[in-house]
Amino acid sequence: VRRRMAPAQREQQLVEGAIRFFSKHGLNAQLRDLARELGITHTLLYHYFPTKQALLERVYTDIFEGRWRTEWEVLLDDKALSLPEKLTRFYVSYARVILEPEWVRVFVYSGLSDRFITDRYFALLRDKLFPRIHRETQRYLGRRSRKPPTEREMERILGLHGSVFYMGMRRWVYGLSTHVETTDWAQTDAIYIEDRVQAYLASLPHQSL
């Protein structure tokens, strides 16, 4: 017998099921197939989400926008910490929150379809993350300029961010594990993230380009 749920609880259950479904089948999968996999009627699904776009909006809110942590902004704004410590601590925490299988796979599938989720998420990063990394990098280099990053500076920042995201890609899209003698993902991720931060710092010029 199906247990009666409050509307908000049922809606959240549908969203969580949709996240799992889209992470397996891609964002171009049909809602009729989603309803069938969830064991509900198509009518019930449309009662809560009249359009596929409405469901994707909720998926974005739940696992992308909803996972951003304001304490990350506080960490990156902390003037008492060095840039290497800031970046390492931020990306270790970011990877533990973000690089889950559903998050990574839905993000990749979005990039292969209409890019609705990827475009919105990169807009969030351009607002909350990338300017902070650029500002702190300028301070690290002893510069006082408040100019926006050049294309080359932005490419370095994207390279750092992308190298961390690739850890999730390798694990949850390619199915490749890390080459270390431990199964403690948190421990190995911290080691690899520290390496990536050091590579970013080593790539920085010590004079204006």
Side-chain angles (χ1 to χ4, degrees):
V1 178
R2 180 175 296 169
R3 182 167 57 90
R4 184 178 297 276
M5 293 184 179
Q9 186 180 8
R10 170 68 71 182
E11 182 177 304
Q12 184 60 36
Q13 183 189 58
L14 295 178
V15 172
E16 292 171 0
I19 292 168
R20 292 191 298 271
F21 175 80
F22 288 133
S23 74
K24 290 190 296 183
H25 304 292
L27 300 189
N28 292 327
Q30 299 298 310
L31 293 191
R32 289 187 182 278
D33 295 327
L34 168 60
R36 186 180 303 113
E37 185 160 313
L38 295 180
I40 62 173
T41 65
H42 197 213
T43 302
L44 177 61
L45 180 60
Y46 270 87
H47 172 74
Y48 285 93
F49 299 100
T51 66
K52 186 175 183 179
Q53 186 61 33
L55 179 55
L56 290 177
E57 289 269 4
R58 180 60 186 276
V59 167
Y60 173 79
T61 299
D62 269 35
I63 68 166
F64 291 89
E65 186 177 276
R67 289 194 184 184
W68 183 262
R69 303 287 187 262
T70 55
E71 56 261 35
W72 293 339
E73 299 171 46
V74 175
L75 169 65
L76 293 169
D77 291 342
D78 189 345
K79 295 182 179 180
L81 300 176
S82 67
L83 180 61
E85 184 176 0
K86 285 184 183 183
L87 293 179
T88 301
R89 286 173 56 180
F90 164 72
Y91 275 114
V92 167
S93 178
Y94 180 85
R96 290 173 182 171
V97 172
I98 297 298
L99 297 185
E100 299 272 329
E102 289 83 8
W103 194 103
V104 172
R105 292 178 61 84
V106 169
F107 191 81
V108 171
Y109 275 127
S110 175
L112 295 172
S113 57
D114 63 359
R115 296 194 299 275
F116 163 72
I117 286 176
T118 55
D119 286 350
R120 287 191 62 177
Y121 192 70
F122 271 110
L124 181 150
L125 296 179
R126 286 193 293 269
D127 178 45
K128 297 179 180 295
L129 178 60
F130 297 154
R132 284 183 163 89
I133 294 179
H134 175 63
R135 180 197 65 206
E136 295 307 306
T137 299
Q138 295 301 298
R139 290 183 63 239
Y140 176 77
L141 295 173
R143 299 175 182 173
R144 299 182 179 275
S145 173
R146 295 188 177 182
K147 294 180 180 179
T150 65
E151 290 186 9
R152 192 171 182 181
E153 288 170 335
M154 194 66 224
E155 194 63 25
R156 289 194 186 96
I157 293 171
L158 288 170
L160 168 62
H161 191 82
S163 70
V164 175
F165 176 71
Y166 175 73
M167 295 165 62
M169 281 276 292
R170 180 178 61 193
R171 190 173 301 156
W172 304 122
V173 177
Y174 302 148
L176 301 175
S177 62
T178 52
H179 301 288
V180 293
E181 297 178 357
T182 177
T183 56
D184 185 345
W185 292 118
Q187 178 184 345
T188 58
D189 284 356
I191 293 170
Y192 292 156
I193 286 169
E194 185 174 0
D195 289 345
R196 283 159 171 76
V197 168
Q198 291 301 319
Y200 171 72
L201 297 175
S203 74
L204 299 175
H206 294 287
Q207 58 184 9
S208 300
L209 297 177

